[in-house]
Each structure stands twice: as structure tokens, then as C-alpha cells.
Amino acid sequence: MKTTKFLIMKKLILAFFLLSFYANAQNTYPVIPKPNSLVEGKGKFSITPKTKIVVSTNAPETRKVAEQLAQRIQIVTGNLPEITSQKTPNSISFEDAPALGPEAYEFVASPASVIIKASTAKGHFYGFQTLLQLLPPSVYSSSLQPAVKLTVPECVIKDEPRFGYRGMMLDLGRHYFPVSFIKKYIDLIAMHKLNTFHMHLTDDQGWRIEIKKYPKLTEIGSKRKESMAGHYRDQKWDGIPHEGFYTQDEIRDIVKYAESKFVTAIPEIELPGHAQAALAAYPELGCENKKYEVSTLWGVSDQVFCPNEQTFEFLQNVLTEVMELFPSKYIHIGGDECPKTAWKNSEFCQQLMKKEGLKDEHELQSYFIRRIDKFVTSKGRKIIGWDEILEGGISPNATIMSWRGIEGGIDAAKQGHDAIMTPTSNLYLDYYQSNPLTEPIAIGGYLTIEKVYGYEPVPAALTKEQAKHILGTQANLWTEYIATPEHAEYMAFPRASALAEVAWTKAELKDYKNFALRLKTHFERLKHLGVNYARSYYDITASTLKDAKGFPVVKLENIDKDVIIRYTLDGTEPNAQSLAFDPAKNIPINADMLISSAAFSKTGDQLGKVLTKQFVVSLSTGKTYTLADEPQGYTGGEKYALTNAIVGDLSNSSSWVGFNGKDLDAVIDLGQRTLFNRIGVAFQRASASWIMLPRYVEIFVSDDGKTFKSVKRIEMDTSDKPEYIVQQLNIALGTQNARYIKVFAKNYGKLADSHPGHGNPAWLFVDEISVK
Ligand code: ACM
């Protein structure tokens, strides 16, 4: 016994040392995305006023990278390092390594020098980014940092990206953002070793690129009279006009700026749908012979391009100007969310379908895309389209951007087409990242940093050969509810930092805890860069455990083990003086409780938002139950979350039990006949996530667990309501004396025609069943 304990102790001590060593080690090399090979050393290289930058390659582009490094050092030290081609000690040198891949680099830091080797200037640039991240975060500052010591820890790094396509999209159609912000966004893309900036330039709500041949596109199409102020179902507008577009000179400047950071700017011109702003300028391009307005509604518009010769001539002329501005291999032509109503009602379209032998409007969309594909391909470029362009037959040269899920990517790869993975579930940065009730309004959904980080871009359904068609991955920032640079930064970061590691780092090297540790240093960099990153990293999670005697206790946690979690039990907000949570003494729940907690720094600064959670203790707490159907998803990670004392809410540590298309049919065994008169149960509604309230709830009791008697049935109001609600039912039953209780909730069923997921089964989300 003693020996075993001793061995366990020894193991624990060893694990502790390894862990702390690893933690410290990783804090010394906090590079994001994580390099694919890093050997640590003990010494360090110091940048001094005498340090020179050596460029031993003739490539002019590498010289420009060296200049960027010299300027960075000058900004923070006041001293501009000399750039020379002569090898010299005390230097940072850029050297040729022709055997390395086009985006690969090697980085060797020793006390004598830093050497960055690559076969391309892009590789040198990535080595430069790694160098910056091995220096103190203040190296990113825009002002003199007299106290900073620019030292680089000794190491050997061999690095190259997992995927060739590593992108970030910014929706400029819904809101115009100033060129200065676009450049900042590009800087941030480059800093994360992402290489593609997808510019969504046109949409129903705005056309944002100057086209010389069609001036009305920007004269009329770049202006809308107001924007929605709230969710679609709220039907409210702000009365504030919105406008803006990029001149061709500005576009050239942006493209050139991106090139200097080794980022390819890819334009997206939406067709045949999301075209209402273009139709407002040139109504003859629609099928309906009417006047159009730039849309003031978010969502999907029925007002789409008509597939007539005039439209094709227009689009070819537009694309010709666009291709002159953007040298990228890929041109994104949209292709998503094109309702077929206008085409169904159009005599012209019906005749065209007959003439071309097209069996339905999906084939007409395919015909539309094929013609555009042919034109773009004839100019030596390639089209990218959203995954809807698979419907009605994929165009011969198209690359698919899989967004509605991963199926588009799977289909494309199986058909021998390339795909870029950008599923809403993991990579839509317009989704909420924290408790929707305390976040700025967002489109919906729920996407934490950890969920972005956990994304694996290669679908398991593909063979090794097919998987080669997965070119890479991209996060999308749609801006319906994002009107300012500060808000865009808040939504993008740090989730885009997680994307960077998904796109760059080998899957087997990914580790969320380790990433989270590096992220802390990364936050310091973002601060110096003036990026308004979100603090959801400091969200508290609460879980319940059983103590040694079997009583429920609450554990409060944050991914950052250095923070102090402070809490109150009286409903007030915690502050720097509140009780500090002691992980060795979880909080006992001996009665119904409200715990409000937040992460604080050691110096008393509040780091994240307050989490307020309700706990109930009742006759059912900790009791097991049987379910007629297994839950398909539960966010709390445990099936028995219905009786774990935590009441479901909209924070990220809720333990909702989810049923996809199935009913809740739970039988709780109280162990013996018991008197009770009340049942509490809560349901969530989050329509954008397909989570709907049940149709009705019915309570049954039984003494033998076989024959049940209905004691109450409650009809639920399932009509449209605010996006996120928790419907708490507190059901009075009259005095009951029974051992078994059945709680039945009827699933909403299939989503209605008005819902974007129409025809699919709804989720039923239920939590804490309390019996009193
Ligand atoms: C999309 O989100 N409609 C591509």
C-alpha cells in the first residue's frame, strides 16, 4: 500500500516537474502558429545597436523583408540596423536554402547570430514573423520602448505549412471598412502566416469596387438608406445611411500592400445571387422589369441576375476590370444562396431552359456558372464558388468553398475538384464566441476559440488521394452586425489565431492547452498592435462533482491557471476583494445557490466577463435516470447532466442535453416512494442553431417504473421569439407520492418552411430536472 502511494507520489512529482518545465519552455517559444519542429536551446541572442542584418541572397524581395525587420527594430529601439551583404558576427542573416519548399523556412538562433534560411522571400518573411514572436511582445509596438531588451531564445526551427491555402475572408459588402483598417487586417493575416485575404466585395446591401465601365455600380450600388437594427425577425431599422466603395487606385494599393506581406488578395464578385445592389444600379440585368433598391435587409434576396446575354456581357466586362486589378490565380464568383423564384416566374428563363435542355433551375444556375467559368478560365484564371455551385452539376474548373458544412468539400474532392474548407460550425467568426446575453449582437450560432482550434480540415470520409484536393481552410467574417474596425477585430481575434494553427500546424502537434498558454503572450502582442481582441479566453466554466461523501460541489475553472477566480454567493458582481476560489476546496452546494464568478489577475484587474450560474438542490439531484433515446449532443460533456445541479443557461459552461429530432423521455428513479409536488425543467431556444422549444411537456408518475399515470400536460408556445431564450418551467403537480417520475417533452419536429434549415429535424435542448 505504502509503496503504491509512494510510487504515485513520485509519478506526480515527476509529472509536475515535466509540466512546469513544459509550461515554462512553451512560454519561451510562444510562436503562433506553432512551428512544426522546434529544438530548444539554453542560450540567447541579443539584438544590440551593433547588430547588422545580412542579406546574402540576391533576391530583391528578401531585401525588402530585411528592410521591414530593420524598420521594426528602429521603431522600438530608435536604432536602424545596417543591412549588408557581407557576412558578419552579431547579425541576423537571411540566407538561401534552395532545397526548402516555397513557404518553408529554417530558423537558427544561437548566442552568436540568428540565421533565417528559405528558398523564397516568402519563406524569409515567415522566418521574420517567427523572429518577431520570439522577441518580447513590445517589439510589435508603434513607439519607442526604451526598457525593452530584444533577446531571442536559442533554438533550431524547421517549419513549413500543412496547407497551401490559409485564408481569412472579410465581408465588405455589408459594411464598408476604411483602407487603413484593411491594411491592419492584412498585417494581422500575415503575422499569423496566413496567406490569403478573400475580399467579399459585392452583395445585396452594397457594391464596393469601382468599375469604370459601369459607374452606377458605385454611384447607386454602394449606398443604402439604412441598416437593420436587430435581428431579422425584429424588423427594425436604424435610419442611418451607409455607403462606401474602393476606387481602383485604392484596390491596387491594397493588392500591392498585401503582396508586400506575402498575402494574396482574392476578389469575390457575387453572382447570380446576392446581386441586388448591382440590380439597383442596372435594373435591366434582372428578370423582373422593375426598379430595385440596394437592400436594407440582411438575409437572402430573391432579386438575382437574369441569365440573359446582357447580364453575361456585363459580368464579363466587370470581371475583366477585376482581373486587371487582382493578379490572383483565383477569382471568387460567389454562387451561394441564389433563390430561383425570379427565374421560375420568368418566361425568358423558362424558354432558355428548354433551349439548353436544362431540367430545372438548379441546372440553369449551373449553366450560369459554367459560362462564367469558361470566361474566367479563358483568361488564365480559376474560379472559386461557394458549395451551392455543386447543385445542378459542378463546373469543370471550379474550386469549391465548403461552407454549409463539410459535405460540399467531400463531394468536390470525390469528383476530383479542389476544395477549401470553411464550415459555419467551426469557422464563421460572425457567430457568438461567448454568452449571447452579454455579447454585442451577432448573427447567431456559438463558436468558441477552442471549437475553432479543434477543427480538422480534412474530412475523414476522404481517401488519401481524395484528401489531396483539400487545398486548405479559411475563416469568414461576415459583417451584417459588424460596422466598425474595433468590432471586426473583436470578432476575429483571437479566433483567427486559432485558425492560423489549424491551417499551418500538423494535426498531431496541435494541443489546445499548449496553444492557450502561447495565446497569453499573443494577447500582449495584440495589445501593442492596438487590436481590440475579445476576452472570452477568460470565460469561467463551472461544473459539478461529487465530494467524498457523494454531495455535489461546484468547480470553477479557467483555461489560464495563473488567474484568480473570485466569486460571490449573493448575486452581486465579484470584485478584487471577493472570495477567491480554492481548487482544493470546491464550493459545496447545500442549498439552491447563485454563484457569480470572474477571472482576476494577481494585481486585481478583472480579465473576463462575469459568469452567473444557478444551482439547485432537489430530490432528483445526483439521481440516475433512463432515457428512451440517447442524447446526440450535450455541451456539458456528461449524459447525466439533467440531475447534476447546474441549471442550463446561455453561458459556455452549460450542460444542455440535446436530442436531434427525438423526444425527451426520461424516467428518474428516486430510490423509494417520495412525497413531492413540483417539477422544474428548462428548455433552450436558439433558432439559428436549429434548437427549438418542445411542442408540449407531460409529467407521469409510477410506483413500479412500468405503469405510468399522467399528472400534468403543458402545451408550449413554439411561435417565433427572440433568438436566445431559456424557458424555465416550474410545474405544480399537487401532492404526489411515487418512486418514479417520467418527464416527456415532444420535439418540435421538422423545421418550418420559413426557417433556413427547413425540412431538417429540430434539436430539443433540455436541462436540470428538479423535483421538490
Ligand atoms: C455564405 O455564408 N452565404 C457563403
Side-chain angles (χ1 to χ4, degrees):
M1 200 58 193
K2 211 169 170 184
T3 347
T4 328
K5 251 192 191 158
F6 178 69
L7 273 178
I8 291 173
M9 274 306 283
K10 247 174 85 171
K11 273 190 186 157
L12 277 175
I13 290 168
L14 185 67
F16 177 76
F17 272 116
L18 282 175
L19 265 175
S20 48
F21 171 76
Y22 189 58
N24 289 334
Q26 287 305 318
N27 256 340
T28 318
Y29 300 89
V31 181
I32 291 179
K34 185 181 197 166
N36 282 297
S37 150
L38 189 159
V39 179
E40 299 169 8
K42 290 200 174 70
K44 59 177 192 249
F45 175 76
S46 295
I47 298 178
T48 67
K50 294 218 168 69
T51 305
K52 290 185 182 169
I53 299 174
V54 180
V55 182
S56 63
T57 142
N58 288 325
E61 297 300 317
T62 293
R63 167 112 198 162
K64 285 192 193 138
V65 174
E67 283 164 8
Q68 289 187 39
L69 169 61
Q71 282 158 14
R72 189 88 311 273
I73 293 172
Q74 186 187 26
I75 289 167
V76 293
T77 66
N79 176 60
L80 182 67
E82 183 188 330
I83 302 178
T84 166
S85 56
Q86 303 301 315
K87 284 207 167 162
T88 161
N90 186 9
S91 62
I92 300 165
S93 52
F94 292 93
E95 297 181 3
D96 267 332
L100 293 183
E103 295 192 293
Y105 70 94
E106 287 182 10
F107 182 98
V108 182
S110 70
S113 66
V114 169
I115 301 169
I116 298 168
K117 293 185 191 175
S119 66
T120 61
K122 191 177 196 181
H124 286 128
F125 181 80
Y126 290 149
F128 161 43
Q129 298 313 307
T130 292
L131 169 62
L132 290 179
Q133 297 199 4
L134 291 173
L135 288 164
S138 55
V139 75
Y140 285 94
S141 175
S142 56
S143 62
L144 213 56
Q145 302 287 307
V148 69
K149 286 203 167 48
L150 294 183
T151 60
V152 185
E154 189 168 20
C155 59
V156 177
I157 293 172
K158 294 185 179 175
D159 204 9
E160 97 181 289
R162 179 176 176 206
F163 293 106
Y165 186 108
R166 305 180 302 280
M168 283 284 286
M169 184 279 268
L170 181 60
D171 169 13
L172 302 160
R174 273 49 177 267
H175 281 103
Y176 167 85
F177 291 86
V179 174
S180 58
F181 173 67
I182 298 217
K183 289 185 175 175
K184 187 176 180 186
Y185 199 75
I186 291 169
D187 287 344
L188 291 166
I189 288 174
M191 167 195 188
H192 288 86
K193 301 190 179 87
L194 296 165
N195 63 5
T196 306
F197 173 38
H198 168 179
M199 300 174 74
H200 182 81
L201 285 163
T202 70
D203 216 304
D204 299 312
Q205 300 82 4
W207 183 285
R208 309 253 176 253
I209 176 171
E210 177 189 26
I211 301 295
K212 301 275 190 202
K213 207 170 184 123
Y214 301 102
K216 283 192 283 182
L217 282 172
T218 42
E219 277 166 28
I220 294 171
S222 74
K223 300 174 185 171
R224 67 170 177 265
K225 62 176 194 278
E226 56 187 348
S227 308
M228 294 198 94
H231 282 119
Y232 183 85
R233 73 180 162 269
D234 300 335
Q235 295 289 298
K236 282 196 196 127
W237 282 263
D238 63 7
I240 304 168
H242 182 82
E243 65 174 287
F245 69 91
Y246 306 100
T247 65
Q248 295 206 346
D249 280 345
E250 284 173 326
I251 293 282
R252 271 187 280 270
D253 181 42
I254 289 167
V255 169
K256 217 168 126 227
Y257 186 79
E259 277 173 0
S260 76
K261 306 279 169 174
F262 300 89
V263 171
T264 304
I266 293 183
E268 180 184 355
I269 303 297
E270 272 272 21
L271 58 92
H274 287 292
Q276 200 176 317
L279 298 186
Y282 296 98
E284 60 275 24
L285 305 175
C287 284
E288 295 153 301
N289 195 20
K290 68 173 197 186
K291 205 170 165 328
Y292 300 86
E293 273 197 351
V294 179
S295 180
T296 57
L297 270 177
W298 309 137
V300 177
S301 166
D302 281 330
Q303 303 177 10
V304 305
F305 284 125
C306 197
N308 58 30
E309 290 313 307
Q310 206 174 351
T311 298
F312 286 113
E313 188 190 331
F314 164 85
L315 287 171
Q316 290 182 7
N317 287 335
V318 166
L319 288 168
T320 298
E321 290 193 34
V322 168
M323 286 189 276
E324 277 164 14
L325 294 168
F326 288 87
S328 58
K329 172 167 93 174
Y330 292 109
I331 302 294
H332 202 308
I333 51 80
D336 61 320
E337 298 180 320
C338 178
K340 310 297 187 291
T341 330
W343 295 354
K344 280 194 174 121
N345 295 336
S346 149
E347 185 57 30
F348 167 78
C349 290
Q350 296 306 312
Q351 288 301 330
L352 178 65
M353 284 163 60
K354 261 198 209 121
K355 184 172 144 235
E356 296 289 335
L358 307 170
K359 81 172 187 302
D360 59 18
E361 285 76 15
H362 290 297
E363 290 196 0
L364 181 54
Q365 154 133 346
S366 179
Y367 162 87
F368 201 122
I369 302 289
R370 276 170 206 264
R371 285 194 58 169
I372 298 296
D373 179 358
K374 201 164 161 199
F375 176 74
V376 171
T377 302
S378 77
K379 304 290 174 198
R381 311 293 186 93
K382 275 174 79 73
I383 62 162
I384 298 177
W386 299 109
D387 58 44
E388 284 92 331
I389 72 167
L390 284 156
E391 294 161 7
I394 186 169
S395 194
N397 307 302
T399 293
I400 294 297
M401 198 163 256
S402 189
W403 75 278
R404 289 178 294 179
I406 62 171
E407 289 71 23
I410 295 173
D411 268 13
K414 286 190 171 166
Q415 293 184 50
H417 284 253
D418 289 341
I420 296 154
M421 305 304 287
T422 177
T424 54
S425 55
N426 294 72
L427 299 177
Y428 265 40
L429 303 186
D430 54 336
Y431 281 14
Y432 286 105
Q433 55 197 314
S434 184
N435 183 352
L437 298 184
T438 54
E439 284 290 298
I441 184 170
I443 195 95
Y446 193 65
L447 178 58
T448 60
I449 319 166
E450 188 168 5
K451 191 155 183 205
V452 175
Y453 190 83
Y455 180 58
E456 166 48 49
V458 176
L462 297 182
T463 64
K464 226 172 167 177
E465 256 332 281
Q466 290 164 344
K468 290 185 183 152
H469 287 293
I470 305 298
L471 301 182
T473 184
Q474 171 174 296
N476 295 336
L477 188 55
W478 298 102
T479 61
E480 283 94 337
Y481 294 100
I482 302 170
T484 66
E486 295 72 31
H487 192 180
E489 290 169 11
Y490 179 86
M491 298 305 278
F493 294 96
R495 290 185 292 183
S497 311
L499 164 80
E501 200 145 312
V502 172
W504 180 280
T505 307
K506 286 189 186 122
E508 61 271 26
L509 295 179
K510 278 171 62 197
D511 170 350
Y512 182 65
K513 283 204 169 125
N514 179 265
F515 171 74
L517 205 58
R518 284 175 284 127
L519 201 49
K520 277 171 61 172
T521 311
H522 207 62
F523 287 153
E524 296 302 314
R525 297 177 190 130
L526 296 177
K527 261 186 218 160
H528 281 290
L529 289 166
V531 176
N532 179 38
Y533 63 93
R535 299 327 198 244
S536 52
Y537 176 86
Y538 292 106
D539 280 357
I540 304 291
T541 52
S543 54
T544 49
L545 309 167
K546 284 181 184 162
D547 69 7
K549 294 197 187 109
F551 292 117
V553 291
V554 177
K555 188 175 196 60
L556 301 174
E557 288 177 285
N558 183 244
I559 182 82
D560 181 354
K561 299 303 168 213
D562 291 338
V563 303
I564 301 170
I565 300 174
R566 296 189 179 275
Y567 68 97
T568 66
L569 299 172
D570 60 3
T572 60
E573 295 236 325
N575 59 37
Q577 276 74 47
S578 302
L579 292 168
F581 177 75
D582 177 356
K585 292 186 208 153
N586 296 320
I587 307 168
I589 322 173
N590 26 39
D592 291 2
M593 297 172 70
L594 198 64
I595 302 182
S596 295
S597 59
F600 287 80
S601 71
K602 296 204 167 75
T603 50
D605 296 321
Q606 187 177 329
L607 300 168
K609 288 188 183 164
V610 175
L611 172 77
T612 299
K613 288 203 79 77
Q614 201 190 341
F615 299 86
V616 292
V617 177
S618 79
L619 297 167
S620 55
T621 304
K623 294 285 188 298
T624 55
Y625 49 84
T626 56
L627 291 170
D629 278 303
E630 287 283 305
Q632 290 86 1
Y634 33 92
T635 51
E638 54 172 322
K639 180 176 156 191
Y640 288 102
L642 290 178
T643 51
N644 68 356
I646 308 184
V647 178
D649 60 30
L650 298 172
S651 70
N652 68 348
S653 57
S654 275
S655 44
W656 292 96
V657 176
F659 298 90
N660 191 213
K662 300 274 172 56
D663 306 321
L664 163 73
D665 188 338
V667 176
I668 302 168
D669 181 357
L670 297 176
Q672 59 191 48
R673 286 192 90 195
T674 307
L675 282 168
F676 57 92
N677 58 35
R678 205 166 265 285
I679 294 240
V681 58
F683 300 95
Q684 188 187 143
R685 181 184 191 282
S687 167
S689 302
W690 303 12
I691 304 166
M692 308 301 270
L693 293 177
R695 299 286 177 180
Y696 67 88
V697 179
E698 191 161 3
I699 310 295
F700 302 82
V701 294
S702 165
D703 279 332
D704 59 5
K706 292 188 187 102
T707 19
F708 283 88
K709 182 177 81 171
S710 171
V711 288
K712 191 79 165 213
R713 174 170 158 141
I714 309 236
E715 302 301 322
M716 301 284 284
D717 174 7
T718 53
S719 59
D720 210 13
K721 291 214 178 61
E723 174 62 4
Y724 288 94
I725 58 168
V726 173
Q727 181 98 25
Q728 174 69 49
L729 302 183
N730 208 346
I731 308 170
L733 303 170
T735 304
Q736 303 292 328
N737 189 7
R739 173 169 171 179
Y740 297 93
I741 304 169
K742 185 202 284 227
V743 181
F744 181 87
K746 185 75 193 158
N747 190 293
Y748 179 89
K750 288 205 180 348
L751 295 163
D753 281 350
S754 57
H755 191 281
H758 61 87
N760 287 294
W763 283 88
L764 173 67
F765 263 38
V766 56
D767 194 17
E768 203 60 14
I769 300 178
S770 59
V771 178
K772 291 199 171 177

